[in-house]
Amino acid sequence: MSDSQIVGALSLGGCCEDREKAFWQLWQQYQNYLAQCCLKWMGNATDAEDALSRAMLKAWEKIRDCTVEIKNFKFWLTRLTHNLCVDIHRECHRGAIQVQ
């Protein structure tokens, strides 16, 4: 199945089982790419693994509740993951400021 066919299965009209299968198929396809992005954005392997896990859960929640069609899944997933990494950095920075 091509990417466009898999993304089509994620569309609003797809049944839950088809959407779940399509999501996990695409996640596995882009997981290594996202892991490398997380490592670059987070700076260490432990934080990168945590960010990747959180991104997976957040993406899955958003796909289940999705009300719009995702045309470019890789871009959507990369943007979601990047924004999550930024949020994690902000959380850590806020925590460091409060300690002082």
Side-chain angles (χ1 to χ4, degrees):
M1 199 185 293
S2 71
D3 274 7
S4 59
Q5 290 172 319
I6 297 169
V7 171
L10 285 173
S11 69
L12 301 175
C15 75
C16 292
E17 191 173 301
D18 289 343
R19 290 177 94 177
E20 182 177 340
K21 183 178 178 182
F23 172 80
W24 291 115
Q25 194 171 359
L26 286 168
W27 176 263
Q28 288 176 340
Q29 181 177 340
Y30 298 122
Q31 186 174 5
N32 289 336
Y33 166 76
L34 292 169
Q36 290 301 314
C37 290
C38 285
L39 186 57
K40 178 174 66 172
W41 296 327
M42 298 306 293
N44 67 67
T46 302
D47 290 344
E49 287 176 22
D50 180 49
L52 186 63
S53 295
R54 289 171 63 176
M56 178 191 62
L57 293 173
K58 188 170 186 172
W60 174 239
E61 289 171 1
K62 290 204 174 276
I63 286 293
R64 287 187 321 192
D65 303 332
C66 190
T67 57
V68 295
E69 182 181 355
I70 299 169
K71 295 185 191 258
N72 185 336
F73 189 77
K74 182 178 180 181
F75 174 80
W76 178 83
L77 200 53
T78 303
R79 177 60 52 200
L80 180 143
T81 304
H82 178 265
N83 290 343
L84 184 70
C85 288
V86 170
D87 290 345
I88 292 170
H89 279 293
R90 285 183 185 145
E91 288 172 10
C92 291
H93 185 66
R94 279 189 207 126
I97 290 174
Q98 291 174 355
V99 171
Q100 293 176 355

